[in-house]
Amino acid sequence: MSAVIEIEGLRKTFRSVRQGRRVAVDGFDLLVEAGQIHGFLGPNGSGKTTTLRALLGLVRADAGRMAVLGHPSPDGLPRVAGRVGAIVESPQFFGNFTGHRTLRLLARAGGVPAARVDEVLERVGLRDRGDERVKGYSLGMKQRLAVASALLKDPELLILDEPANGLDPAGIREMRDLMRSLAQAGVTVLVSSHILAEIQLICDHVTIIARGRRVAAGRVDEVLAGFDRRELLVRVDDPQRAGELLTAAGLAVTGHDGHLVVGDVDDATEVSRTLGEAGLWVRELTPLRPDLESVFLELTGAAAHPTLPRQVDDSVLPDGGPRETVIDLDVRGVDA
């Protein structure tokens, strides 16, 4: 597979009178290959949005190498701009324009056929609302309109920063289905999101950034496998006695409200046999697998307690201030 986004050793610092010099991104690497839905995760202030802005030429990096679709960034971006759709941060539109008019202006400015406007409105579920003024749109509708604007050029690469922001559960599912359909059509998608369960459902690869540095990267199942502690959730009628028996058998046991968690278990039958021989019958014996949220919290240091939440899986599964949308549009002299 060919690389669609390459970042090596990216470094970016900011200076202010009040805070002095602050390192936002420190030697960060990112590789996104063609056809992936690639999740880009990081806590607030981790350098995630700064990385995307540097990649798109919106801020100048201090050091590092970047490339988009095989062309160096930022100098080579004009040669691939027509093949890239990007929305960074929350959308900002002219409130008195309708959704349809907004996209028609963008299409005209970008040399895109007008027929494409109805196509993208349909694709993001706004065709029936396209004649309404944007100021009457909900935050979720504005977010979908922003995605529609990024799809106007029928891009090969789509970069989305928090695309599910403001969406209700049905809208989140629609966005998930949209990204999957785009990937099936050959579009590479880089998506950042704080909805970690959604990223786990959508993405096949993930990169996690913390304090400006990459702390994990790879296939989602491989990243999760690295945090699998072979734990079992055990429910019995007498958890206290069960804990004593399992501890005496050399197993690591922690007690919880109404159940036990047994760690480092190579064979689940060892647990059921130990308890059964003592006349304690297991009511539940479920493998606990790490989910993306627990791994994220552990890697980024955001967990409040070392015992992190885990996904119960019986099938053994794998900044303040106004924000802006990256939309290149100069409406001066455009007849709408």
Side-chain angles (χ1 to χ4, degrees):
M1 301 179 74
S2 59
V4 173
I5 294 176
E6 298 174 88
I7 299 177
E8 293 181 0
L10 178 64
R11 181 177 176 84
K12 175 62 181 176
T13 59
F14 292 100
R15 292 177 176 81
S16 68
V17 174
R18 187 166 51 184
Q19 295 183 337
R21 179 171 168 274
R22 178 177 65 86
V23 179
V25 184
D26 188 10
F28 179 73
D29 298 335
L30 173 66
L31 176 65
V32 179
E33 295 184 330
Q36 291 181 353
I37 304 181
H38 195 111
F40 186 25
L41 306 178
N44 290 338
S46 63
K48 180 162 44 71
T49 297
T50 297
T51 297
L52 295 179
R53 291 174 67 83
L55 180 69
L56 295 170
L58 301 174
V59 297
R60 182 167 294 278
D62 300 329
R65 185 186 74 85
M66 298 179 289
V68 177
L69 295 170
H71 293 269
S73 176
D75 294 342
L77 288 177
R79 295 195 290 275
V80 297
R83 300 159 60 193
V84 179
I87 302 296
V88 178
E89 302 190 314
S90 298
Q92 297 288 316
F93 297 105
F94 295 104
N96 286 325
F97 286 12
T98 66
H100 195 280
R101 184 185 182 192
T102 298
L103 294 183
R104 194 167 68 245
L105 284 167
L106 288 166
R108 185 177 302 178
V112 175
R116 182 71 179 154
V117 171
D118 287 333
E119 293 176 13
V120 297
L121 282 173
E122 178 76 31
R123 193 154 203 179
V124 300
L126 286 178
R127 185 159 189 170
D128 293 340
R129 311 292 294 271
D131 292 329
E132 298 178 17
R133 292 188 177 185
V134 173
K135 66 182 179 181
Y137 280 11
S138 66
L139 177 58
M141 291 172 65
K142 291 177 182 177
Q143 197 74 4
R144 282 188 274 168
L145 183 63
V147 174
S149 71
L151 293 175
L152 277 173
K153 296 179 287 185
D154 196 14
E156 297 175 34
L157 169 64
L158 186 62
I159 299 173
L160 300 175
D161 190 11
E162 299 287 356
N165 184 36
L167 298 183
D168 59 18
I172 291 173
R173 183 177 59 197
E174 290 172 1
M175 189 66 67
R176 180 202 314 157
D177 293 341
L178 171 60
M179 283 189 274
R180 283 175 173 164
S181 69
L182 290 169
Q184 290 170 359
V187 179
T188 302
V189 182
L190 175 64
V191 54
S192 72
S193 178
H194 67 282
I195 307 177
L196 301 177
E198 190 65 19
I199 288 290
Q200 188 168 343
L201 286 173
I202 297 172
C203 298
D204 41 37
H205 288 73
V206 66
T207 297
I208 301 177
I209 183 174
R211 294 173 291 280
R213 297 186 177 185
R214 189 177 77 179
V215 294
R219 290 184 56 86
V220 173
D221 55 355
E222 292 173 350
V223 171
L224 295 180
F227 289 80
D228 188 352
R229 298 186 177 95
R230 297 171 297 161
E231 292 178 328
L232 296 173
L233 183 150
V234 181
R235 293 188 191 276
V236 292
D237 290 333
D238 189 348
Q240 181 174 347
R241 175 155 170 70
E244 293 170 353
L245 290 168
L246 294 172
T247 300
L251 297 173
V253 181
T254 56
H256 297 268
D257 186 18
H259 69 273
L260 303 173
V261 172
V262 184
D264 295 325
V265 179
D266 294 320
D267 185 354
T269 59
E270 180 182 359
V271 173
S272 57
R273 184 178 61 251
T274 298
L275 297 179
E277 289 174 349
L280 291 176
W281 306 110
V282 175
R283 292 190 288 109
E284 181 180 353
L285 189 65
T286 305
L288 291 177
R289 296 289 181 259
D291 59 17
L292 195 54
E293 182 174 2
S294 64
V295 170
F296 174 85
L297 292 172
E298 186 162 333
L299 285 170
T300 60
H305 191 278
T307 301
L308 299 173
R310 283 173 176 76
Q311 173 176 290
V312 177
D313 189 348
D314 55 5
S315 60
V316 191
L317 302 174
D319 333 332
R323 305 177 72 182
E324 61 184 333
T325 299
V326 179
I327 297 179
D328 294 325
L329 171 63
D330 184 349
V331 298
R332 291 172 296 180
V334 177
D335 181 10

